[in-house]
Amino acid sequence: MGHHIVTLIEGDGIGPEISRATTRVIEATGVEIDWEPIKAGINAIPDYGSPVPEVLLESIRRNKVALKGPLTTFIAKGFSSANVGLRKALDLYANLRPVHSIDGIKSRYENVDLIIVRENTEDLYAGLEHIITPGVSQSIKVITTHASTRIGQFAFEYARKTGRKRVTAVHKANIMKLSDGMFLESIAAVAQNYPEIKYDDVIVDALCMKLVMDPNQFDILVLSNLYGDIVSDLAAGLVGGLGVVPGANIGLDCAVFEAVHGSAPDIAGKGIANPSALLFSGVLMLRHLKEDAAADRIMNSIKKVFREGTHTTRDLGGKATTEEFADEVIRHL
Ligand code: NAI
């Protein structure tokens, strides 16, 4: 408790709208947070000439915690992703995405309670691409024992800390015998140190089918970067979509909390985006800051608003604007 300083990256697209709503709700709980707003992505280029400026990294290194709105990355052109750059620069090696069913949000399943742990620093996101000769391109998939072991340890430590019973490693080692094989062997070696937690593995395509048919058969999933990216969006779809799933990027020193979704250029500036995912990420952040009472109040309040159903945003079938939703959450605090 006490007083916190948190780096705030509003982001672009719907970022500023959902960030404003989120910080308003968090402040309404009375927690003492000083936000340190810093630009990133396209907004940072005019001032700093870089999508991940040094002032941003310094701010997060100093404060240890950041709340981040989405940043646009252009497809097949332009600077490499600021999101990926930030994760690399701060070595935020673990991407944690809790996927839970939420009362009042219509979705295909009830009682989903999945934890997705995604490796955040390597794999095909190493960004090593070349044109070998006209018409032939190559992207290099990098998997190391170091990063695989580290993410395995994160998953098992998380299981131990939260009393979960099972960790499943996800791979395609039948085809990528060397790279995915190394990932799998590393996680299996870590599992030996956690005899009380059940360990198994599943091939990624089979996992997708199984998740869609019955998501409750899994507990914690640990995946390399690309599979983690895809499967976590699939999992978001099981509980109501990208608008309601939070995420955290965690390293040894710093943690950056952000929604799973992107900058939603199709609805940016209209004031209709759903701030829930960023707000849930803010709740994860409050727990990280040991502000559990405020986190609980926000969760209970959001649940009430969803259950009432009169103030939800358009993506959830309602009519409320971003600000009207936030006002209603604040009213229920
Ligand atoms: P997106 O997540 O921005 O949008 C996908 C669909 O979901 C759109 O129809 C959008 O309107 C809707 N949507 C997303 N968030 C919503 C919200 N909070 N409320 C209501 N509807 C919402 O994915 P897209 O279009 O593939 O990416 C747009 C940009 O965002 C790209 O430049 C991409 O690189 C970037 N991006 C950034 C991320 C980050 O900053 N962590 C993560 C994912 C994408």
Side-chain angles (χ1 to χ4, degrees), residues 164-237:
R164 284 178 176 260
K165 301 279 178 285
R166 180 169 155 222
V167 172
T168 303
V170 183
H171 63 94
K172 188 83 188 172
N174 50 332
I175 306 296
M176 279 156 282
K177 294 178 197 287
L178 294 183
S179 55
D180 281 17
M182 188 176 283
F183 179 79
L184 197 55
E185 275 166 25
S186 307
I187 309 280
V190 171
Q192 305 265 318
N193 303 326
Y194 298 82
E196 80 280 17
I197 296 160
K198 187 171 161 2
Y199 168 69
D200 58 2
D201 66 85
V202 61
I203 294 179
V204 63
D205 39 348
L207 169 79
C208 290
M209 180 210 52
K210 288 179 176 183
L211 275 178
V212 170
M213 293 191 70
D214 175 18
N216 293 324
Q217 59 185 303
F218 296 103
D219 188 343
I220 296 184
L221 298 174
V222 58
L223 311 92
S224 52
N225 210 339
L226 179 64
Y227 305 148
D229 193 2
I230 297 167
V231 169
S232 54
D233 275 23
L234 185 155

Side-chain angles (χ1 to χ4, degrees), residues 57-317:
L57 299 176
E58 277 164 17
S59 167
I60 301 176
R61 286 194 190 108
R62 190 169 56 241
N63 300 330
K64 312 267 186 253
V65 180
L67 183 68
K68 174 184 165 298
L71 299 171
T72 299
T73 308
F74 297 106
I75 292 180
K77 62 175 172 123
F79 58 79
S80 65
S81 163
N83 301 306
V84 175
L86 192 63
R87 290 169 199 164
K88 274 200 207 153
L90 297 172
D91 202 14
L92 304 170
Y93 68 91
N95 184 221
L96 179 70
R97 298 188 183 184
V99 178
H100 303 298
S101 303
I102 303 152
D103 260 7
I105 292 200
K106 260 219 240 107
S107 65
R108 220 161 268 277
Y109 294 99
E110 278 166 28
N111 306 320
V112 176
D113 178 19
L114 263 179
I115 300 293
I116 297 187
V117 176
R118 164 186 170 194
E119 203 289 324
N120 231 354
T121 62
E122 57 179 25
D123 194 359
L124 280 157
Y125 291 67
L128 300 172
E129 293 194 303
H130 342 257
I131 300 291
I132 295 178
T133 189
V136 183
S137 53
Q138 182 183 43
S139 303
I140 296 178
K141 167 164 167 139
V142 180
I143 298 287
T144 64
T145 308
H146 168 73
S148 305
T149 303
R150 192 162 68 157
I151 200 67
Q153 277 163 348
F154 183 94
F156 278 95
E157 278 302 313
Y158 187 89
R160 194 171 263 177
K161 213 170 51 197
T162 54
R164 284 178 176 260
K165 301 279 178 285
R166 180 169 155 222
V167 172
T168 303
V170 183
H171 63 94
K172 188 83 188 172
N174 50 332
I175 306 296
M176 279 156 282
K177 294 178 197 287
L178 294 183
S179 55
D180 281 17
M182 188 176 283
F183 179 79
L184 197 55
E185 275 166 25
S186 307
I187 309 280
V190 171
Q192 305 265 318
N193 303 326
Y194 298 82
E196 80 280 17
I197 296 160
K198 187 171 161 2
Y199 168 69
D200 58 2
D201 66 85
V202 61
I203 294 179
V204 63
D205 39 348
L207 169 79
C208 290
M209 180 210 52
K210 288 179 176 183
L211 275 178
V212 170
M213 293 191 70
D214 175 18
N216 293 324
Q217 59 185 303
F218 296 103
D219 188 343
I220 296 184
L221 298 174
V222 58
L223 311 92
S224 52
N225 210 339
L226 179 64
Y227 305 148
D229 193 2
I230 297 167
V231 169
S232 54
D233 275 23
L234 185 155
L238 299 172
V239 298
L242 291 175
V244 294
V245 177
N249 296 294
I250 300 173
L252 290 178
D253 300 322
C254 310
V256 176
F257 296 83
E258 67 176 336
V260 174
H261 62 71
S263 56
D266 51 337
I267 56 167
K270 297 187 178 152
I272 57 172
N274 184 356
S276 301
L278 190 61
L279 195 47
F280 285 135
S281 308
V283 168
L284 289 182
M285 182 192 81
L286 288 172
R287 298 205 187 282
H288 181 84
L289 294 171
K290 309 231 176 327
E291 294 283 3
D292 284 287
D296 289 341
R297 282 177 66 204
I298 295 177
M299 279 311 292
N300 290 334
S301 177
I302 300 177
K303 282 184 194 161
K304 273 186 209 144
V305 177
F306 284 152
R307 243 178 280 135
E308 254 176 20
T310 50
H311 286 76
T312 52
T313 44
R314 282 206 331 200
D315 54 309
L316 299 179

